[in-house]
Amino acid sequence: MKIQPGAEIFKLRWYIKQMRGWSFKTYLLLMLGIGIIIGATMASPISQISLLTMIAAILGFTCTLAITNARQINGILGLVSAAIYIIISVYAKNYANVILQTIYILLLDLPVLMLTSWSKDTEKYIHGLTLKKWLMTISFFTIVLALLYLLDTKIFISPRPVIDATAGAIGITGSLLCMLHFREQYYFWTVQGIFSIILWGVTAFQGDANLTLFLTYILYLTNDLLAFTDKNVYWFH
């Protein structure tokens, strides 16, 4: 792949082009998701953290839909949302999620912006895991899970180390598979979505965050299911 910083990201027409050609169901989900995120934010006490959460949630949700539609704009959306999520996760004491968002930037956002061929003819590069690669993936996940759990219990003390570390390890594994164009990434995104719903739901009920991220991860999970079922999405069809 040719490494070339995308100068196009500084042009409005690039963003317009990137938002065109998505599946119709994706557009419907995007509008629904933005409405839910804004509504959840307005229904909660307004603060700097809640407004940052709203911005990160909208950008992050749009990013996941862009990935589903193999659009390079997911790089810039993911980069900005991940940076804000890091601030929110530090505030909420979900430290493994800080690492997860950093990995998103390194494995998903920057490569997509630097590799101009990432979204060109994506369907030609999608492939599946062999048995050997499945075993390697499971081993990678296990090692990352152990390291994140140690981070949450020995270096930084998280109130939710098991959920935080598990959600982070699944997300990091999914990021690696996404970067390498493996369709099985959506199995990991789906399970990670479930754990993230639990993580941010528990975080909200313990008073360390509002419900916006809890609802946002439900939307993320909906996008994952869309990837399995929408025939206009390349990854499984």
Side-chain angles (χ1 to χ4, degrees):
M1 290 186 178
K2 182 179 180 181
I3 298 179
Q4 178 182 342
E8 292 293 316
I9 66 173
F10 299 105
K11 300 178 181 178
L12 178 60
R13 65 184 181 187
W14 181 81
Y15 290 90
I16 296 174
K17 180 180 178 181
Q18 288 289 308
M19 294 299 293
R20 289 176 175 170
W22 293 19
S23 73
F24 179 69
K25 291 180 182 178
T26 301
Y27 284 128
L28 290 179
L29 185 57
L30 176 62
M31 294 300 101
L32 174 64
I34 291 176
I36 290 175
I37 292 168
I38 293 176
T41 302
M42 295 300 103
S44 304
I46 302 299
S47 64
Q48 290 182 336
I49 288 295
S50 68
L51 292 176
L52 280 175
T53 301
M54 181 184 72
I55 295 171
I58 291 174
L59 293 177
F61 181 56
T62 307
C63 172
T64 62
L65 293 174
I67 291 176
T68 298
N69 287 274
R71 291 296 189 271
Q72 198 175 13
I73 194 175
N74 82 78
I76 189 67
L77 293 173
L79 181 63
V80 177
S81 65
I84 302 175
Y85 273 137
I86 288 173
I87 298 172
I88 297 168
S89 296
V90 170
Y91 177 82
K93 302 182 183 67
N94 290 333
Y95 300 110
N97 199 65
V98 174
I99 303 300
L100 173 61
Q101 298 301 326
T102 303
I103 295 298
Y104 282 167
I105 292 174
L106 296 177
L107 291 187
L108 297 182
D109 305 327
L110 292 180
V112 166
L113 292 174
M114 298 296 290
L115 300 173
T116 56
S117 60
W118 187 89
S119 60
K120 183 179 180 181
D121 299 325
T122 301
E123 66 275 16
K124 296 180 181 179
Y125 301 103
I126 296 172
H127 49 288
L129 291 172
T130 62
L131 177 59
K132 179 180 179 180
K133 289 178 180 178
W134 261 115
L135 293 175
M136 293 173 63
T137 300
I138 294 172
S139 298
F140 176 80
F141 164 77
T142 303
I143 293 171
V144 172
L145 175 61
L147 292 175
L148 290 180
Y149 183 77
L150 289 175
L151 171 75
D152 269 354
T153 56
K154 302 299 181 181
I155 301 177
F156 301 104
I157 305 303
S158 170
R160 300 160 287 274
V162 175
I163 305 173
D164 188 30
T166 303
I170 297 171
I172 290 173
T173 306
S175 300
L176 180 63
L177 295 180
C178 179
M179 185 185 69
L180 298 175
H181 285 86
F182 285 107
R183 63 171 53 91
E184 284 83 1
Q185 63 173 290
Y186 278 95
Y187 297 133
F188 285 86
W189 292 141
T190 300
V191 178
Q192 199 265 347
I194 294 171
F195 272 88
S196 291
I197 290 169
I198 297 172
L199 171 65
W200 288 103
V202 172
T203 301
F205 285 112
Q206 290 181 344
D208 291 323
N210 60 35
L211 286 172
T212 301
L213 284 183
F214 170 74
L215 296 174
T216 300
Y217 276 98
I218 293 177
L219 292 170
Y220 283 0
L221 182 61
T222 304
N223 172 63
D224 299 333
L225 298 177
L226 183 66
F228 290 122
T229 59
D230 191 340
K231 66 180 181 180
N232 294 309
V233 173
Y234 292 135
W235 296 100
F236 282 95
H237 305 279

